[in-house]
Amino acid sequence: MTPLQRYIAEEIATDHVDGLLSRREALRRLSLIGIGTAGATALFAACSENKQEEAEAPVTSSGAATVSAPPPGSQNAVPTEPVTWAGPRGELQGAWAAADQPRGAVLVIHENKGLNDYIRSVAGRFGGIGYSALAIDLLSGQGGTATFADPAEATAALSKLPPEEAVADLRSGIDELSRRLPDRKLAAVGFCMGGGMVWRLLAAGEPRLAAAVPFYGPTPENPDFSGSKDVAVLGIYASQDQRVNASEPVARAALEKAGMVFELVTEPDANHAFFNDTGERYNAAAAADAWKRLQEWFSRYVD
């Protein structure tokens, strides 16, 4: 099992343990990525043990609150349009949100569900605050996220994506941003799996970025960020996201070793995927704070 497959499998198991997926549905989703009943049962047990070790209140408590405020940045979001460009192995797909007077440009990297309406809305929010955004579809090689009627199958396809191919596609996305806005600084922002891809992009060495903001993304093993040493990194974590938080010290050590400008923030009373306003773990307070911090970071390093 690759690190990406393991990460996604653990996410499915955690969702079951937290009551967000039935056992049957979790078993079905795990089977799609090649994990049988015995392996799934072991994953459930391991995730249950991790949950019991947590000292705070139930992990989904903050995300379950009903809020009336719109998601941060949505009030001024601009519409997105589908775009394509030539990638390293064929055509790549994405959603483009053009700012009226762009202060910079952002590559948006989706969760393990692919390029969906939520991620398009995030790109639109960046456009609304002055940063033209390109949300890439890492399932372009399989025809794009929209070709998967079952979101679980899209997740399974992403779990099998070789990391080197994903990084090559992300680099192509940066190429496309540079072509569209040649005189502006660039940033990369990713969520969950996409946050992990931001870390992988930094580990692969990407000097064209001015800033990077991985949201609750797992750090790859033994990363070397020296090839991206001039990128200013704002890492966003959630206090109840024990699984991803376990990799935060690895990220911190690598950032320090590379001598990079960085800040790692842990949002209190929040869980994994707290920024996703379409999910059960959405936390309005944490999302608003993270959005404010991101804008301040961009004002310092992208404008």
Side-chain angles (χ1 to χ4, degrees), residues 40 48 55 77 94 98 108 130 157 179 182 192 213 216 219 221 223 244 258 282 288 290 300:
S48 294
V108 180
R179 185 188 71 78
C192 303
V213 185
Y216 30 76
T219 316
E221 294 182 5
V244 171
Y282 177 60
R300 291 166 64 185

Side-chain angles (χ1 to χ4, degrees), residues 9 12-13 15-17 21-44 152:
I12 293 170
D15 283 351
H16 166 61
V17 169
L21 288 177
S22 68
R23 180 180 176 85
R24 172 177 289 190
E25 179 60 17
L27 287 172
R28 185 183 77 86
R29 296 189 185 192
L30 289 169
S31 71
L32 290 173
I33 62 176
I35 297 176
T37 302
T41 301
L43 273 173
F44 297 157

Side-chain angles (χ1 to χ4, degrees), residues 192-203:
C192 303
M193 183 200 82
M197 288 298 175
V198 171
W199 290 122
R200 287 187 177 277
L201 190 59
L202 295 175

